[in-house]
PDB file of all heavy atoms in Angstrom:
ATOM      1  N   ARG A  12     103.147 109.123 102.494  1.00  0.00           N
ATOM      2  CA  ARG A  12     102.293 110.044 103.245  1.00  0.00           C
ATOM      3  C   ARG A  12     103.116 111.000 104.099  1.00  0.00           C
ATOM      4  O   ARG A  12     102.738 112.150 104.308  1.00  0.00           O
ATOM      5  CB  ARG A  12     101.314 109.254 104.120  1.00  0.00           C
ATOM      6  CG  ARG A  12     100.184 108.630 103.326  1.00  0.00           C
ATOM      7  CD  ARG A  12      99.099 108.101 104.256  1.00  0.00           C
ATOM      8  NE  ARG A  12      99.351 106.721 104.644  1.00  0.00           N
ATOM      9  CZ  ARG A  12      98.972 105.678 103.908  1.00  0.00           C
ATOM     10  NH1 ARG A  12      98.358 105.858 102.766  1.00  0.00           N
ATOM     11  NH2 ARG A  12      99.228 104.458 104.318  1.00  0.00           N
ATOM     12  N   VAL A  13     104.246 110.529 104.592  1.00  0.00           N
ATOM     13  CA  VAL A  13     105.117 111.359 105.433  1.00  0.00           C
ATOM     14  C   VAL A  13     105.904 112.369 104.594  1.00  0.00           C
ATOM     15  O   VAL A  13     106.101 113.514 105.003  1.00  0.00           O
ATOM     16  CB  VAL A  13     106.103 110.475 106.231  1.00  0.00           C
ATOM     17  CG1 VAL A  13     107.110 111.311 106.987  1.00  0.00           C
ATOM     18  CG2 VAL A  13     105.343 109.559 107.179  1.00  0.00           C
ATOM     19  N   THR A  14     106.322 111.949 103.392  1.00  0.00           N
ATOM     20  CA  THR A  14     107.245 112.753 102.584  1.00  0.00           C
ATOM     21  C   THR A  14     106.582 113.553 101.471  1.00  0.00           C
ATOM     22  O   THR A  14     107.175 114.499 100.957  1.00  0.00           O
ATOM     23  CB  THR A  14     108.305 111.847 101.929  1.00  0.00           C
ATOM     24  OG1 THR A  14     107.642 110.888 101.086  1.00  0.00           O
ATOM     25  CG2 THR A  14     109.112 111.099 102.988  1.00  0.00           C
ATOM     26  N   GLY A  15     105.353 113.160 101.079  1.00  0.00           N
ATOM     27  CA  GLY A  15     104.697 113.841  99.966  1.00  0.00           C
ATOM     28  C   GLY A  15     105.220 113.433  98.600  1.00  0.00           C
ATOM     29  O   GLY A  15     105.008 114.134  97.606  1.00  0.00           O
ATOM     30  N   ALA A  16     105.916 112.305  98.512  1.00  0.00           N
ATOM     31  CA  ALA A  16     106.479 111.840  97.247  1.00  0.00           C
ATOM     32  C   ALA A  16     105.382 111.285  96.331  1.00  0.00           C
ATOM     33  O   ALA A  16     104.256 111.048  96.755  1.00  0.00           O
ATOM     34  CB  ALA A  16     107.530 110.768  97.518  1.00  0.00           C
ATOM     35  N   ASP A  17     105.727 111.092  95.066  1.00  0.00           N
ATOM     36  CA  ASP A  17     104.803 110.551  94.071  1.00  0.00           C
ATOM     37  C   ASP A  17     104.522 109.081  94.396  1.00  0.00           C
ATOM     38  O   ASP A  17     105.440 108.259  94.366  1.00  0.00           O
ATOM     39  CB  ASP A  17     105.444 110.680  92.682  1.00  0.00           C
ATOM     40  CG  ASP A  17     104.524 110.200  91.553  1.00  0.00           C
ATOM     41  OD1 ASP A  17     103.743 109.244  91.766  1.00  0.00           O
ATOM     42  OD2 ASP A  17     104.601 110.771  90.453  1.00  0.00           O
ATOM     43  N   PRO A  18     103.273 108.723  94.672  1.00  0.00           N
ATOM     44  CA  PRO A  18     102.972 107.336  95.072  1.00  0.00           C
ATOM     45  C   PRO A  18     103.222 106.328  93.955  1.00  0.00           C
ATOM     46  O   PRO A  18     103.616 105.190  94.226  1.00  0.00           O
ATOM     47  CB  PRO A  18     101.502 107.378  95.468  1.00  0.00           C
ATOM     48  CG  PRO A  18     100.946 108.582  94.782  1.00  0.00           C
ATOM     49  CD  PRO A  18     102.067 109.572  94.717  1.00  0.00           C
ATOM     50  N   ASN A  19     103.003 106.722  92.701  1.00  0.00           N
ATOM     51  CA  ASN A  19     103.229 105.792  91.592  1.00  0.00           C
ATOM     52  C   ASN A  19     104.696 105.424  91.473  1.00  0.00           C
ATOM     53  O   ASN A  19     105.047 104.253  91.277  1.00  0.00           O
ATOM     54  CB  ASN A  19     102.728 106.397  90.271  1.00  0.00           C
ATOM     55  CG  ASN A  19     101.222 106.540  90.230  1.00  0.00           C
ATOM     56  OD1 ASN A  19     100.484 105.641  90.632  1.00  0.00           O
ATOM     57  ND2 ASN A  19     100.747 107.685  89.771  1.00  0.00           N
ATOM     58  N   MET A  20     105.571 106.418  91.595  1.00  0.00           N
ATOM     59  CA  MET A  20     107.005 106.156  91.520  1.00  0.00           C
ATOM     60  C   MET A  20     107.466 105.301  92.692  1.00  0.00           C
ATOM     61  O   MET A  20     108.191 104.318  92.522  1.00  0.00           O
ATOM     62  CB  MET A  20     107.785 107.469  91.466  1.00  0.00           C
ATOM     63  CG  MET A  20     107.590 108.240  90.169  1.00  0.00           C
ATOM     64  SD  MET A  20     108.426 109.860  90.176  1.00  0.00           S
ATOM     65  CE  MET A  20     110.151 109.375  90.204  1.00  0.00           C
ATOM     66  N   ALA A  21     107.036 105.648  93.898  1.00  0.00           N
ATOM     67  CA  ALA A  21     107.443 104.896  95.091  1.00  0.00           C
ATOM     68  C   ALA A  21     106.945 103.452  95.017  1.00  0.00           C
ATOM     69  O   ALA A  21     107.645 102.521  95.429  1.00  0.00           O
ATOM     70  CB  ALA A  21     106.914 105.582  96.348  1.00  0.00           C
ATOM     71  N   TYR A  22     105.743 103.266  94.480  1.00  0.00           N
ATOM     72  CA  TYR A  22     105.162 101.925  94.353  1.00  0.00           C
ATOM     73  C   TYR A  22     105.983 101.056  93.408  1.00  0.00           C
ATOM     74  O   TYR A  22     106.327  99.907  93.730  1.00  0.00           O
ATOM     75  CB  TYR A  22     103.724 102.062  93.852  1.00  0.00           C
ATOM     76  CG  TYR A  22     103.024 100.756  93.558  1.00  0.00           C
ATOM     77  CD1 TYR A  22     102.574  99.936  94.586  1.00  0.00           C
ATOM     78  CD2 TYR A  22     102.799 100.356  92.246  1.00  0.00           C
ATOM     79  CE1 TYR A  22     101.917  98.743  94.316  1.00  0.00           C
ATOM     80  CE2 TYR A  22     102.143  99.165  91.961  1.00  0.00           C
ATOM     81  CZ  TYR A  22     101.702  98.360  92.999  1.00  0.00           C
ATOM     82  OH  TYR A  22     101.059  97.176  92.733  1.00  0.00           O
ATOM     83  N   VAL A  23     106.324 101.595  92.249  1.00  0.00           N
ATOM     84  CA  VAL A  23     107.087 100.815  91.263  1.00  0.00           C
ATOM     85  C   VAL A  23     108.492 100.517  91.778  1.00  0.00           C
ATOM     86  O   VAL A  23     109.008  99.399  91.621  1.00  0.00           O
ATOM     87  CB  VAL A  23     107.132 101.560  89.912  1.00  0.00           C
ATOM     88  CG1 VAL A  23     108.192 100.957  88.996  1.00  0.00           C
ATOM     89  CG2 VAL A  23     105.766 101.500  89.246  1.00  0.00           C
ATOM     90  N   ILE A  24     109.129 101.489  92.394  1.00  0.00           N
ATOM     91  CA  ILE A  24     110.469 101.268  92.946  1.00  0.00           C
ATOM     92  C   ILE A  24     110.434 100.112  93.946  1.00  0.00           C
ATOM     93  O   ILE A  24     111.283  99.215  93.912  1.00  0.00           O
ATOM     94  CB  ILE A  24     110.993 102.548  93.621  1.00  0.00           C
ATOM     95  CG1 ILE A  24     111.258 103.625  92.562  1.00  0.00           C
ATOM     96  CG2 ILE A  24     112.270 102.262  94.417  1.00  0.00           C
ATOM     97  CD1 ILE A  24     111.348 105.027  93.141  1.00  0.00           C
ATOM     98  N   ALA A  25     109.455 100.125  94.843  1.00  0.00           N
ATOM     99  CA  ALA A  25     109.339  99.047  95.836  1.00  0.00           C
ATOM    100  C   ALA A  25     109.110  97.705  95.155  1.00  0.00           C
ATOM    101  O   ALA A  25     109.689  96.688  95.541  1.00  0.00           O
ATOM    102  CB  ALA A  25     108.202  99.358  96.808  1.00  0.00           C
ATOM    103  N   ALA A  26     108.260  97.701  94.116  1.00  0.00           N
ATOM    104  CA  ALA A  26     107.922  96.451  93.434  1.00  0.00           C
ATOM    105  C   ALA A  26     109.117  95.858  92.688  1.00  0.00           C
ATOM    106  O   ALA A  26     109.249  94.633  92.585  1.00  0.00           O
ATOM    107  CB  ALA A  26     106.769  96.688  92.465  1.00  0.00           C
ATOM    108  N   TYR A  27     109.995  96.697  92.183  1.00  0.00           N
ATOM    109  CA  TYR A  27     111.146  96.237  91.391  1.00  0.00           C
ATOM    110  C   TYR A  27     112.417  96.083  92.223  1.00  0.00           C
ATOM    111  O   TYR A  27     113.405  95.536  91.727  1.00  0.00           O
ATOM    112  CB  TYR A  27     111.437  97.233  90.259  1.00  0.00           C
ATOM    113  CG  TYR A  27     110.560  97.111  89.041  1.00  0.00           C
ATOM    114  CD1 TYR A  27     109.216  97.469  89.084  1.00  0.00           C
ATOM    115  CD2 TYR A  27     111.059  96.662  87.826  1.00  0.00           C
ATOM    116  CE1 TYR A  27     108.396  97.382  87.967  1.00  0.00           C
ATOM    117  CE2 TYR A  27     110.257  96.571  86.696  1.00  0.00           C
ATOM    118  CZ  TYR A  27     108.934  96.936  86.768  1.00  0.00           C
ATOM    119  OH  TYR A  27     108.127  96.840  85.655  1.00  0.00           O
ATOM    120  N   HIS A  28     112.423  96.532  93.470  1.00  0.00           N
ATOM    121  CA  HIS A  28     113.695  96.759  94.169  1.00  0.00           C
ATOM    122  C   HIS A  28     114.560  95.507  94.306  1.00  0.00           C
ATOM    123  O   HIS A  28     115.784  95.599  94.297  1.00  0.00           O
ATOM    124  CB  HIS A  28     113.448  97.403  95.545  1.00  0.00           C
ATOM    125  CG  HIS A  28     113.131  96.440  96.646  1.00  0.00           C
ATOM    126  ND1 HIS A  28     111.897  95.825  96.773  1.00  0.00           N
ATOM    127  CD2 HIS A  28     113.893  95.966  97.664  1.00  0.00           C
ATOM    128  CE1 HIS A  28     111.917  95.030  97.822  1.00  0.00           C
ATOM    129  NE2 HIS A  28     113.109  95.086  98.386  1.00  0.00           N
ATOM    130  N   ASP A  29     113.958  94.328  94.439  1.00  0.00           N
ATOM    131  CA  ASP A  29     114.743  93.098  94.607  1.00  0.00           C
ATOM    132  C   ASP A  29     114.676  92.158  93.404  1.00  0.00           C
ATOM    133  O   ASP A  29     115.098  91.001  93.512  1.00  0.00           O
ATOM    134  CB  ASP A  29     114.294  92.337  95.864  1.00  0.00           C
ATOM    135  CG  ASP A  29     115.100  92.721  97.111  1.00  0.00           C
ATOM    136  OD1 ASP A  29     116.113  93.431  96.963  1.00  0.00           O
ATOM    137  OD2 ASP A  29     114.711  92.318  98.211  1.00  0.00           O
ATOM    138  N   LEU A  30     114.200  92.625  92.260  1.00  0.00           N
ATOM    139  CA  LEU A  30     114.155  91.751  91.085  1.00  0.00           C
ATOM    140  C   LEU A  30     115.550  91.306  90.669  1.00  0.00           C
ATOM    141  O   LEU A  30     115.708  90.263  90.023  1.00  0.00           O
ATOM    142  CB  LEU A  30     113.465  92.451  89.908  1.00  0.00           C
ATOM    143  CG  LEU A  30     111.941  92.569  89.949  1.00  0.00           C
ATOM    144  CD1 LEU A  30     111.433  93.174  88.652  1.00  0.00           C
ATOM    145  CD2 LEU A  30     111.273  91.221  90.198  1.00  0.00           C
ATOM    146  N   GLY A  31     116.551  92.067  91.053  1.00  0.00           N
ATOM    147  CA  GLY A  31     117.925  91.689  90.746  1.00  0.00           C
ATOM    148  C   GLY A  31     118.378  90.429  91.447  1.00  0.00           C
ATOM    149  O   GLY A  31     119.450  89.892  91.140  1.00  0.00           O
ATOM    150  N   MET A  32     117.566  89.922  92.391  1.00  0.00           N
ATOM    151  CA  MET A  32     117.883  88.644  93.028  1.00  0.00           C
ATOM    152  C   MET A  32     117.801  87.491  92.030  1.00  0.00           C
ATOM    153  O   MET A  32     118.202  86.373  92.341  1.00  0.00           O
ATOM    154  CB  MET A  32     116.932  88.381  94.207  1.00  0.00           C
ATOM    155  CG  MET A  32     117.092  89.352  95.368  1.00  0.00           C
ATOM    156  SD  MET A  32     118.668  89.194  96.243  1.00  0.00           S
ATOM    157  CE  MET A  32     118.417  87.651  97.113  1.00  0.00           C
ATOM    158  N   GLU A  33     117.315  87.765  90.831  1.00  0.00           N
ATOM    159  CA  GLU A  33     117.357  86.767  89.764  1.00  0.00           C
ATOM    160  C   GLU A  33     118.803  86.471  89.352  1.00  0.00           C
ATOM    161  O   GLU A  33     119.077  85.465  88.707  1.00  0.00           O
ATOM    162  CB  GLU A  33     116.545  87.260  88.552  1.00  0.00           C
ATOM    163  CG  GLU A  33     115.050  87.330  88.828  1.00  0.00           C
ATOM    164  CD  GLU A  33     114.245  87.988  87.711  1.00  0.00           C
ATOM    165  OE1 GLU A  33     114.842  88.604  86.817  1.00  0.00           O
ATOM    166  OE2 GLU A  33     113.010  87.892  87.768  1.00  0.00           O
ATOM    167  N   GLY A  34     119.723  87.362  89.720  1.00  0.00           N
ATOM    168  CA  GLY A  34     121.151  87.182  89.468  1.00  0.00           C
ATOM    169  C   GLY A  34     121.914  87.135  90.778  1.00  0.00           C
ATOM    170  O   GLY A  34     121.332  86.888  91.834  1.00  0.00           O
ATOM    171  N   PRO A  35     123.220  87.408  90.752  1.00  0.00           N
ATOM    172  CA  PRO A  35     124.034  87.361  91.977  1.00  0.00           C
ATOM    173  C   PRO A  35     123.562  88.369  93.023  1.00  0.00           C
ATOM    174  O   PRO A  35     123.336  89.539  92.716  1.00  0.00           O
ATOM    175  CB  PRO A  35     125.441  87.709  91.474  1.00  0.00           C
ATOM    176  CG  PRO A  35     125.415  87.402  90.015  1.00  0.00           C
ATOM    177  CD  PRO A  35     124.020  87.687  89.559  1.00  0.00           C
ATOM    178  N   ARG A  36     123.435  87.892  94.272  1.00  0.00           N
ATOM    179  CA  ARG A  36     122.943  88.745  95.358  1.00  0.00           C
ATOM    180  C   ARG A  36     123.815  89.983  95.571  1.00  0.00           C
ATOM    181  O   ARG A  36     123.315  91.075  95.846  1.00  0.00           O
ATOM    182  CB  ARG A  36     122.878  87.932  96.656  1.00  0.00           C
ATOM    183  CG  ARG A  36     122.512  88.742  97.895  1.00  0.00           C
ATOM    184  CD  ARG A  36     122.463  87.844  99.131  1.00  0.00           C
ATOM    185  NE  ARG A  36     122.404  88.616 100.352  1.00  0.00           N
ATOM    186  CZ  ARG A  36     121.310  89.168 100.851  1.00  0.00           C
ATOM    187  NH1 ARG A  36     120.171  89.055 100.222  1.00  0.00           N
ATOM    188  NH2 ARG A  36     121.355  89.849 101.994  1.00  0.00           N
ATOM    189  N   ALA A  37     125.124  89.844  95.425  1.00  0.00           N
ATOM    190  CA  ALA A  37     126.045  90.939  95.730  1.00  0.00           C
ATOM    191  C   ALA A  37     125.803  92.174  94.864  1.00  0.00           C
ATOM    192  O   ALA A  37     126.109  93.296  95.287  1.00  0.00           O
ATOM    193  CB  ALA A  37     127.492  90.476  95.573  1.00  0.00           C
ATOM    194  N   ILE A  38     125.266  91.982  93.668  1.00  0.00           N
ATOM    195  CA  ILE A  38     125.007  93.128  92.778  1.00  0.00           C
ATOM    196  C   ILE A  38     123.517  93.240  92.444  1.00  0.00           C
ATOM    197  O   ILE A  38     123.148  93.835  91.434  1.00  0.00           O
ATOM    198  CB  ILE A  38     125.837  93.022  91.481  1.00  0.00           C
ATOM    199  CG1 ILE A  38     125.542  91.700  90.738  1.00  0.00           C
ATOM    200  CG2 ILE A  38     127.329  93.163  91.769  1.00  0.00           C
ATOM    201  CD1 ILE A  38     126.086  91.660  89.313  1.00  0.00           C
TER     202      ILE A  38
END
């Protein structure tokens, strides 16, 4: 709402952002 960015893209990025915790935290 502050930036005017695409909500669908921002939503998916947030939802996927930590899925890499399935592997080593450092990467």
Side-chain angles (χ1 to χ4, degrees):
R12 285 191 271 275
V13 174
T14 60
D17 183 326
N19 292 317
M20 291 176 67
Y22 175 74
V23 166
I24 292 162
Y27 280 70
H28 85 284
D29 268 350
L30 284 185
M32 294 293 287
E33 292 172 348
R36 174 180 168 80
I38 57 167

